[in-house]
Amino acid sequence: MFSLSRFLAVMVKEFVQMRRDRVTFAMMVGVPIMQLFLFGFAINSDPKHLPTLIEMADEGPITRAILMGMKASDYFDFVGTVTGQAEGDRALRDGTADFVVVIPPRFERDVVRGLNPQILLAADASDPAAAGGAVAAISGIVTQAMADTLTGPLKFAAARPPPFSVAVHKQFNAEGRTSTNIVPGLLGIILSMTMVLITSVAIVRESEKGTMETLIATPARPAEVMLGKILPYVLMGYIQTIVFLIAARLVFDVPFVGSPLAFFVGFNLFIVVNLALGFLVSTVARNQMQAMQVSFFLILPSILLSGFMFPFAGMPGWAQVLGSILPTTHFLRLTRKVMLKGATLTDIRPEMLAIGLIMLVIVTIALRRYRQTLD
Amino acid sequence: MIEEAENAISVRGLTKIFGDRKVVDNFDMDVPKGSIYGFLGPNGSGKTTTIRMMCGLLTPNGGEGQCLGYDIRTEPDRIKANVGYMTQRFSLYEDLTIRENLDFIARMFGMKGRRKVVKDALADLGLSDRANQLAGTLSGGWKQRLALAACLLHKPRLLLLDEPTAGVDPKARRDFWDEIRALSAQGVTVLVSTHYMDEAVQCDFIAYIAYGKKLIAGPAAEIPDMIGLQTWRVEGPNLTALEAELRATEGVAQVARFGAVLHVSGIDAAALDKVAQAQIAKGTHSWTKQKGGLEEAFIYLMTGVRDNFAINGPANGPAAAEGQA
């Protein structure tokens, strides 16, 4: 005996309240878009133009070719020269430079004589991600520069090519753009954050303000109230997602090569699991402040352990287990699979199964808790 | 519906347990149709819980009964449709306008001709021109009137008022009671819980509850006799000093001051008479014996058991569960 009119009444009421609560409204619409642009543009896991100093104890055509090559790679910006190791160390410590390139004395002559001299690239590796790309690129740059310079009579000094070569084929994100990876992930994070937070707060608000008493004194059924309260936020999630997809396409040029149906199904499943989570939070929290705190407590692991910020495979086993409990982890995989790898409905079955399982557990606990708080 | 019973509410052996605390213990009550029934008791005595069980909001752990002819255990939906429940705290939406609140309630009760019902309610309230004002911006008295209007929208046959006038000024309180009287005259049964003496004396029947147990119940006029309070009326100079002296005297259960008069009461008539005779012998004040009124009875009841939490304290159970009670 589900009453459509009561359900609609609750929903209309919720929309009116949503409209009046400007801050929350802004949180739901404005902030996600702002975050998308902020993080989409700001986060770069392959930083370039890193300040570099040169200590030149020798000079010549080979040296110049190497330095030119480094500069051309865009990883290194030469900002000055140093004389002596102490000065270079200080610059690394101060943070005025991320790299110091040391060309040893008699470098050119030693190369020609085949003495295999060493160029030193001292790097500030306190942040491994910051230095990683540049360090990985340096060998290739140097080899290329040598090959271009050591021609004619000097050819004997150049490195002999290995008897085989490795062809690397970077798939799904050939240019290695961070935003291609970050933007689909960000959708999961922001959806999960707003859904859990807003649902839990909206439900807790009723009991905190005492209005729940009014509701239960009416003939309304719990299902009418819950659905009426939650559906406006589902709609909000839809709007967020549409804005996201448009921005991803037009602003960040993130491809969407997979099946829209697969995305739609997976996305709805994710919304439902987050609403259930928000509902669970609301049965734990006594007031809106607590609901907020619990929600944030849940968001942080979703950001750090889901594979959004850091590669999932890089975490130790126990952390991967923890990460697998989070619905966001599976949704991130699902979104990346569909958007970047062209997955269809059958390809995302493992993720859907995982999210479904998590949902089952959450709903069971939430309902059990809800029954207890009712009486 | 079962045949119309004499009583709007009739419950037997109602019991509610929160955690390991018995909030309501074996509670019986009959509320005659069309009466105003006062429900008295200190904070945390279980008034709210009892009211909620009687209108089907809470399931009792034990006991049974009917409300408006419907079983409180199995037919809460039918009860809700015919009962207006006004909560202790303002529990309409402060961020909705007055009109939106009324409209929402009317929708929740599935009322036909909603627009007209809401319009009439606004006119009755005298708030037609402020209909679009947010409910949260109303003063305490207006909030209370709005809350009453909201729970009368669906024309309930029984009105449950849980400390309806807490924090409302005396003028608004009087107006409120005029309205309750008018409703009662129309045949609506009213069950009201209160702390205030001036509200208790408005009731036709009174039940007094403490520690979840009913201590006394009956027609308001018979309550003083049921308690058996003897009262002396004392007039004269320097009442404050006398009051302090009498309070410390054995045989005096209570000294209540009404302006320039002291009402000195006690349960043990002989002991009280002895005190009175001794005072009369002093000749400083005039002492007259009088019939104990509801006022004294009420003060006696309210002071006899102060605050359930003060004695049976939060350490003894989930205070939070009954905190709203």
Side-chain angles (χ1 to χ4, degrees), chain B residues 191-207:
Chain B
L191 175 63
V192 53
S193 78
T194 183
H195 276 314
Y196 298 114
M197 176 166 62
D198 58 338
E199 294 190 338
V201 299
Q202 299 257 14
C203 300
D204 305 325
F205 294 87
I206 282 174

Side-chain angles (χ1 to χ4, degrees), chain A residues 1 5-6 8-10 12-13 16-17 19-21 205-221 224-225 286 374-375, chain B residues 16 18 48 52 57-60 77 80-81 83 85 87-97 100 104-105 107-110 134 162 320 324:
Chain A
M1 216 182 60
S5 71
R6 280 200 293 259
L8 284 176
V10 176
V12 168
K13 180 218 81 176
V16 174
Q17 286 185 304
R19 194 172 44 115
R20 296 244 161 86
D21 186 359
R205 185 173 52 201
E206 297 269 359
S207 38
E208 190 187 344
K209 297 258 177 190
T211 47
M212 194 59 102
E213 288 194 66
T214 301
L215 282 177
I216 57 174
T218 70
R221 281 160 192 285
E224 293 158 3
V225 174
R286 285 210 187 143
L374 208 60
D375 260 13
Chain B
K16 184 70 193 177
F18 286 132
T48 299
R52 286 185 184 178
L57 294 186
L58 270 181
T59 319
D77 288 345
K80 284 179 192 175
V83 167
Y85 174 44
T87 51
Q88 203 169 25
R89 215 170 117 194
F90 181 71
S91 64
L92 291 171
Y93 295 91
E94 303 210 329
D95 50 351
L96 294 187
T97 65
E100 283 163 350
F104 177 68
I105 299 296
R107 274 168 172 245
M108 294 311 271
F109 280 98
L134 292 185
D162 194 0
Q324 322 115 20

Side-chain angles (χ1 to χ4, degrees), chain B residues 172-189:
Chain B
R173 216 152 84 196
R174 258 196 315 277
D175 294 346
F176 183 81
W177 273 94
D178 286 344
E179 183 145 12
I180 299 298
R181 281 249 157 252
L183 285 166
S184 167
Q186 290 165 29
V188 176
T189 311

Side-chain angles (χ1 to χ4, degrees), chain A residues 17-183:
Chain A
Q17 286 185 304
M18 205 192 271
R19 194 172 44 115
R20 296 244 161 86
D21 186 359
R22 297 257 162 81
V23 177
T24 308
F25 194 73
M27 273 275 291
M28 283 187 301
V29 182
V31 173
I33 298 173
M34 210 177 78
Q35 286 180 335
L36 170 67
F37 281 84
L38 193 64
F39 299 139
F41 282 121
I43 299 177
N44 184 2
S45 55
D46 188 17
K48 302 210 163 144
H49 301 290
L50 302 164
T52 307
L53 293 170
I54 316 171
E55 184 187 335
M56 288 230 312
D58 196 13
E59 209 175 336
I62 304 172
T63 316
R64 272 196 298 278
I66 291 172
L67 295 181
M68 284 299 283
M70 286 174 72
K71 200 172 168 159
S73 75
D74 275 355
Y75 277 111
F76 305 94
D77 272 6
F78 294 112
V79 292
T81 54
V82 291
T83 53
Q85 196 187 349
E87 202 179 332
D89 284 352
R90 200 173 332 118
L92 287 182
R93 207 171 295 123
D94 292 349
T96 45
D98 285 340
F99 296 100
V100 178
V101 184
V102 183
I103 312 287
R106 299 183 299 281
F107 174 71
E108 299 266 339
R109 198 187 66 192
D110 287 355
V111 170
V112 175
R113 285 186 180 175
L115 290 178
N116 218 359
Q118 276 188 324
I119 297 176
L120 174 69
L121 180 70
D124 172 6
S126 58
D127 181 354
V135 169
I138 188 77
S139 285
I141 295 168
V142 172
T143 313
Q144 189 59 43
M146 295 298 232
D148 292 348
T149 320
L150 300 175
T151 50
L154 290 178
K155 196 161 186 183
F156 73 95
R160 247 171 287 279
F164 61 88
S165 65
V166 180
V168 177
H169 183 188
K170 288 189 183 173
Q171 293 198 75
F172 313 125
N173 184 8
E175 299 155 66
R177 279 187 310 152
T178 308
S179 59
T180 303
N181 183 44
I182 286 283
V183 169

